[in-house]
Amino acid sequence: MHQTRRQLLKTAFATTGIVLAAPALRLSAAPDIAGNEKLADDLYIVRVPGESAVVAHTGSDGVLLVDGGSAAGSAAVLKAVAALPNGSAKIHTLFNTHWHPEQTGSNEKLAMAGAAIIAQENTRLWLTQNITWPYHGEKFKKLPRIAQPNKTFYDKGTLDSGIRYGYIADAAHTDGDLYVYFPRQNVLAVGDAAYGEGWPFVDWWTGGWIGGIVGGLQRIQSVANKDTKIVPAHGPVLSYADITAQVDMYGTIYDRLVQMLNKGHSPTEGVEAKPAKEFEAKMGNPDEFIRRSFESLWAYLSPDA
Ligand SMILES: [Zn+2]
């Protein structure tokens, strides 16, 4: 299925002859505020400027991380983790919420020190090959074998500590997204399957799509409850109600884009129709998000695919 979907994407774009637009600004969140955010006595969000959020659990058996920062930021992230109360213990487990370099930059160092690197199997597969994004031509080298996830799963799992994890199979951001749920603290880390600020980056080249954003948010709600703190890789902590509002917003945009797709409109026409008009004041310029979302529909819904 993994291979098939990528094949479909490539075929769709080859046969429709789409000329991808010149590089545009990558959607990115505002710089994180430096410092750590305490969620519980043994659970923190480590925020290093310029890095995605890292969730650190400092248990009696050592430290568990959800995402590890970029390669360039790895040293600063690990230093910040070590400075947490009980944070200097051995890091025994690292989750990769997805394959992006902002998440996987500490893999090599931690694996060499003996950590389990847990990821959904599709994430491992992406990390075993070189990737060139069609959006801006950005290239990513496969990780060395030691840095690839060494404990993968397909559906879900539970650690001895009671911490649960599972596949966000809807493909909100990539086709390998995972969540990690800390039941005692009622905290749910979701990587980029939900954004805390700004429009999300829809990485359809590795499986993400706008329909998956809606489905992924609903799946997040099915794991969470009304009091759960939901921690995205970008932006502040979200509540259940925040996710509900996002389901409504992305559902509205999804419906509009599907209608345009069915009328044969192009991604550029989709952008020009301003299908996110009423959300722009709060969310910012949506053009890049709409273009990527429209392209993602092509990959998933086009009869040619
Ligand atoms: Zn990402």
Side-chain angles (χ1 to χ4, degrees), residues 26 98 100 102-103 173-174 192 195 201 234:
R26 173 145 180 224
H98 57 292
H100 285 161
E102 294 83 0
Q103 273 65 44
H173 184 63
T174 71
D192 280 332
Y195 269 53
F201 168 54
H234 291 94

Side-chain angles (χ1 to χ4, degrees), residues 25-256:
L25 281 178
R26 173 145 180 224
L27 289 172
S28 61
D32 286 323
I33 299 156
N36 303 319
E37 190 172 337
K38 184 175 176 179
L39 300 168
D41 283 344
D42 59 356
L43 195 59
Y44 296 83
I45 306 173
V46 173
R47 297 193 188 279
V48 170
E51 295 293 317
S52 290
V54 170
V55 175
H57 178 248
T58 53
S60 55
D61 58 342
V63 176
L64 173 150
L65 300 181
V66 181
D67 289 332
S70 67
S74 171
V77 165
L78 297 180
K79 191 175 166 198
V81 169
L84 296 171
N86 300 317
S88 59
K90 180 181 159 70
I91 297 171
H92 58 76
T93 300
L94 169 67
F95 282 95
N96 292 157
T97 58
H98 57 292
W99 72 268
H100 285 161
E102 294 83 0
Q103 273 65 44
T104 51
S106 291
N107 280 25
E108 183 164 2
K109 185 168 186 209
L110 295 181
M112 285 175 76
I117 314 277
I118 305 179
Q120 208 277 339
E121 174 63 11
N122 286 344
T123 291
R124 188 189 67 81
L125 288 171
W126 288 120
L127 290 170
T128 62
Q129 59 191 284
N130 297 326
I131 292 170
T132 302
W133 271 344
Y135 327 119
H136 333 112
E138 206 169 347
K139 291 180 191 302
F140 305 97
K141 278 192 111 57
K142 65 181 175 186
L143 293 189
R145 189 170 176 82
I146 180 72
Q148 294 167 9
N150 52 35
K151 190 179 167 195
T152 64
F153 69 98
Y154 288 94
D155 183 28
K156 59 179 72 168
T158 306
L159 301 178
D160 292 343
S161 54
I163 294 165
R164 304 203 297 263
Y165 56 94
Y167 183 30
I168 303 174
D170 317 271
H173 184 63
T174 71
D175 65 11
D177 304 332
L178 67 72
Y179 66 81
V180 181
Y181 182 58
F182 301 86
R184 201 162 46 75
Q185 302 85 349
N186 199 8
V187 167
L188 181 61
V190 297
D192 280 332
Y195 269 53
E197 60 192 6
W199 294 104
F201 168 54
V202 185
D203 186 2
W204 56 255
W205 186 251
T206 63
W209 74 303
I210 173 78
I213 292 175
V214 179
L217 291 167
Q218 290 171 326
R219 187 182 300 262
I220 284 167
Q221 289 194 307
S222 74
V223 178
N225 57 54
K226 296 279 193 273
D227 301 317
T228 304
K229 289 177 181 157
I230 296 150
V231 184
H234 291 94
V237 172
L238 297 165
S239 68
Y240 189 96
D242 292 331
I243 300 290
T244 301
Q246 289 198 15
V247 169
D248 290 346
M249 177 177 72
Y250 291 114
T252 298
I253 296 168
Y254 172 80
D255 289 342
R256 289 172 183 167

Side-chain angles (χ1 to χ4, degrees), residues 199 245-257 260 270-271 273-287 289-290:
W199 294 104
Q246 289 198 15
V247 169
D248 290 346
M249 177 177 72
Y250 291 114
T252 298
I253 296 168
Y254 172 80
D255 289 342
R256 289 172 183 167
L257 292 182
M260 285 190 278
V271 170
K274 301 225 168 288
K277 198 171 181 41
E278 69 267 47
F279 309 115
E280 291 183 15
K282 176 169 180 261
M283 296 287 293
N285 185 315
D287 292 356
F289 165 72
I290 296 297

